[in-house]
Amino acid sequence: MIFRRIDKTTINCIISEEDLKAQGIKIDDLFARKEAAMTFLHSVLSQAEKQVDFHPSGAFTSMKMSILPDHSVSLTLSENPPEQLESFLKDLQEKLGIVLDDSRRAELMSLPESERLERLKEYAVQDSGTEAASGDENAAGEGADAGKETAPAAGEGQKEFLFEFTSFGEACRLAAYLNSRCAGTEIPAALYTEKNRVFRLAVRRPEGAGTEFDKLILSANEFGRMVTMVPEYLAHIKEHDECIIEQGTIRTLSELSV
């Protein structure tokens, strides 16, 4: 493995195909977050501390993986200051609809980075349950009015999520992740590109999917940058970007993943 420091808070590690084989690990194991792969990544962090003086403990550490043409893995680690965690949480609140009050924010800030994602998933489930209960109460109150339609409970509507990538390969890897977690379920999606410089994957919640799919989407945010869920912006993308794949998108991209 080759380590190099990019700046004060960021390092890069190139993990060769031979390094992975020596550990009995495949590239897909890393993206699937299998136990052996996670143990290996922890050992990479330990080596980073020794070789490039990288000490992520106590900070919000982001990790980005990409596959290079020779099948080696480029791993970029960034130890970001607390204000960047606050920015990250703000994005989650706006894009996933998770309510982050002062109490939740304080709790997240106090947790180690490894536990924050699981806690965010719990918040998503709690908020979805509250929304569903509210929908049921509204439906009960309007039941006497035959001419009125009740709003669907949380999870019943068609909700879209948009992810943005700088390469086609990144879109394939996110699709492979979604496909592996939703075996047997067709996830409606379409892949768009802006002159092959930016790729955007619009994913629609499958019919009947509920909070489990919301948790999956939250996890998928690690593989691609979630841009927005605003319908107007999605409509703009569909009108101005070139649609590359529209049918069987997740399955097709998954098969193309390295």
Side-chain angles (χ1 to χ4, degrees):
M1 291 181 286
I2 302 174
F3 292 89
R4 67 185 180 93
R5 179 166 287 281
I6 297 176
D7 55 37
K8 184 178 180 180
T9 61
T10 307
I11 67 167
N12 178 258
C13 175
I14 301 298
I15 305 172
S16 69
E17 191 173 16
E18 290 71 25
D19 292 329
L20 294 176
K21 288 181 179 178
Q23 300 295 324
I25 296 172
K26 298 179 181 178
I27 290 177
D28 287 345
D29 295 340
L30 293 172
F31 290 103
R33 296 181 174 271
K34 293 187 176 180
E35 184 177 353
M38 293 299 98
T39 300
F40 171 65
L41 288 178
H42 282 301
S43 71
V44 172
L45 283 173
S46 297
Q47 293 187 52
E49 291 181 12
K50 298 175 183 178
Q51 295 196 30
V52 287
D53 194 31
F54 183 68
H55 301 280
S57 59
F60 176 61
T61 306
S62 64
M63 177 184 297
K64 182 177 181 181
M65 288 186 289
S66 57
I67 309 302
L68 303 180
D70 63 355
H71 292 175
S72 60
V73 176
S74 173
L75 181 66
T76 301
L77 299 166
S78 179
E79 181 183 4
N80 296 318
E83 56 267 22
Q84 295 222 248
L85 171 59
E86 181 63 29
S87 176
F88 171 74
L89 295 178
K90 182 179 179 181
D91 282 347
L92 286 178
Q93 181 166 334
E94 293 176 350
K95 296 169 183 175
L96 291 180
I98 299 175
V99 178
L100 293 176
D101 55 22
D102 291 342
S103 175
R104 284 184 172 183
R105 287 174 180 273
E107 182 180 23
L108 288 170
M109 293 290 283
S110 67
L111 288 173
E113 190 272 336
S114 60
E115 297 179 18
R116 286 173 182 153
L117 181 61
E118 287 304 317
R119 190 57 53 87
L120 283 166
K121 290 179 182 179
E122 293 175 9
Y123 293 161
V125 173
Q126 292 169 10
D127 292 348
S128 294
T130 301
E131 185 179 346
S134 176
D136 291 341
E137 291 174 1
N138 291 336
E142 296 173 357
D145 299 321
K148 294 182 179 181
E149 295 183 359
T150 59
E156 294 179 357
Q158 291 296 312
K159 192 173 184 180
E160 285 191 280
F161 307 85
L162 186 66
F163 294 90
E164 186 173 281
F165 316 90
T166 56
S167 74
F168 179 76
E170 290 177 339
C172 292
R173 286 188 286 277
L174 173 56
Y177 173 75
L178 294 176
N179 192 59
S180 68
R181 296 299 188 277
C182 294
T185 300
E186 183 70 25
I187 303 176
L191 181 67
Y192 300 84
T193 184
E194 181 183 337
K195 300 179 180 179
N196 290 322
R197 293 180 301 182
V198 178
F199 295 85
R200 298 183 175 95
L201 183 65
V203 180
R204 182 181 293 271
R205 178 189 285 124
E207 287 283 354
T211 56
E212 287 302 315
F213 188 77
D214 290 339
K215 290 195 293 182
L216 176 64
I217 286 295
L218 178 59
S219 299
N221 194 47
E222 302 175 32
F223 292 81
R225 187 169 72 90
M226 187 180 290
V227 181
T228 183
M229 292 191 298
V230 180
E232 291 79 9
Y233 185 70
L234 289 172
H236 176 83
I237 295 301
K238 293 175 181 179
E239 180 179 354
H240 295 282
D241 282 15
E242 177 187 358
C243 184
I244 303 176
I245 309 174
E246 191 170 15
Q247 300 295 328
T249 305
I250 298 298
R251 183 180 64 256
T252 299
L253 291 176
S254 179
E255 293 172 351
L256 294 174
S257 178
V258 176

